[in-house]
Amino acid sequence: MEKTKIKGITASDLKYIAILAMLIDHAAYLFVPSESPLYAIMRFIGRITAPVMCFFISEGYHHTRNLKKYFGRMAVFAVVSHFAYAFCFGGGFFAKSQESMITTLFLCLLAVYVVNNEKIGMSLKIPLLLLIAYAADRCDWGHEAVVYTLAFELARGSKKNQLIAYGGTAFVFKVLPIMSAIIREPSYIAELWYNLGVFLPILLLYFYNGERGGSKATKWVFYIFYPAHLLLLGYLDMKYN
């Protein structure tokens, strides 16, 4: 009997959307003048990627068949992506650079592991989570990504609660600073409004149907595309800018 297709967006669909948004964001950062409206629009779209991937870190922890391999896979691609990130945004493979988003996601996974590990007492969990957040501040998206991941994780079991928890943290991280900035100088809104794109994932995740979609190879797409697109964009930036 043919399996009935559930309406909505699959995990595979969401990851491809996140990949496209990431490409748009990085292309804007490297090639579009920051004062142009196109720059803000492209970076507004780019705010989709990190929260969606944070959501799937929480999902992945609970659905992986082998947590050690999951950690190992992320660690390997974090090392590879470091050099690609440095090449793209630092000007060379060995340039001084913050760590890439893959390293951030590795730390997010570690945070989820700490939260769920019953062998670790609460008195130790909080310092460990603070240490993970501190380490994440040396990476792309910083501790913000760790908090987003924990918001999804701690509200797990109810999509409504997950979206509320994420929306609340996004409000604190993005809306409050923007409000504070425009109170001091109203013109800052033109420079900062694209950060409100962090609320786009709420709409996308609302339509997530819980299905994996794609194929078994789909899980590798983001890991491979991430360093590959950084190398390509870095090369184009070096050649044409």
Side-chain angles (χ1 to χ4, degrees), residues 21-232:
M22 176 177 63
L23 178 60
I24 291 171
D25 183 63
H26 290 164
Y29 183 85
L30 290 171
F31 304 113
V32 180
S34 59
E35 66 275 7
S36 73
L38 179 61
Y39 175 87
I41 292 170
M42 292 174 73
R43 302 219 67 195
F44 178 79
I45 294 170
R47 301 306 91 192
I48 289 173
T49 306
V52 167
M53 298 314 298
C54 288
F55 172 80
F56 281 114
I57 288 295
S58 173
E59 288 287 288
Y61 175 86
H62 294 281
H63 288 100
T64 185
R65 294 179 180 177
N66 191 317
L67 187 59
K68 288 183 179 180
K69 285 186 177 180
Y70 191 14
F71 269 114
R73 181 167 66 247
M74 294 201 69
V76 168
F77 279 97
V79 172
V80 172
S81 296
H82 167 76
F83 295 105
Y85 190 91
F87 175 73
C88 185
F89 297 114
F93 288 110
F94 301 101
K96 187 176 181 180
S97 170
Q98 65 178 353
E99 296 297 323
S100 76
M101 187 65 195
I102 302 294
T103 303
T104 314
L105 294 175
F106 176 88
L107 292 170
C108 290
L109 179 62
L110 185 60
V112 174
Y113 171 78
V114 169
V115 165
N116 286 280
N117 193 321
E118 296 180 355
K119 295 180 180 179
I120 303 175
M122 187 58 67
S123 60
L124 186 57
K125 283 184 179 183
I126 293 176
L128 284 174
L129 291 174
L130 290 174
L131 184 60
I132 291 169
Y134 176 78
D137 278 338
R138 275 65 183 166
C139 311
D140 192 17
W141 278 81
H143 70 276
E144 185 177 339
V146 175
V147 177
Y148 287 159
T149 305
L150 292 178
F152 287 125
E153 177 63 26
L154 295 175
R156 185 175 167 77
S158 167
K159 181 192 287 187
K160 178 182 177 181
N161 289 343
Q162 282 185 307
L163 297 182
I164 290 173
Y166 166 70
T169 56
F171 182 86
V172 171
F173 278 117
K174 298 301 185 186
V175 177
L176 291 183
I178 290 174
M179 290 173 62
S180 176
I182 62 177
I183 287 172
R184 297 194 305 272
E185 178 52 63
S187 64
Y188 284 160
I189 187 64
E191 301 175 23
L192 301 174
W193 73 266
Y194 72 81
N195 285 296
L196 298 179
V198 293
F199 293 100
L200 291 176
I202 294 177
L203 180 63
L204 293 172
L205 292 172
Y206 176 80
F207 290 103
Y208 173 52
N209 61 16
E211 295 290 303
R212 184 176 70 178
S215 64
K216 291 183 179 180
T218 302
K219 70 180 180 181
W220 294 98
V221 173
F222 182 82
Y223 296 115
I224 295 172
F225 183 86
Y226 184 84
H229 95 284
L230 291 177
L231 292 173
L232 175 60

Side-chain angles (χ1 to χ4, degrees), residues 10-31:
T10 67
S12 179
D13 295 333
L14 280 171
K15 289 177 182 178
Y16 283 123
I17 291 171
I19 284 172
L20 179 59
M22 176 177 63
L23 178 60
I24 291 171
D25 183 63
H26 290 164
Y29 183 85
L30 290 171
F31 304 113

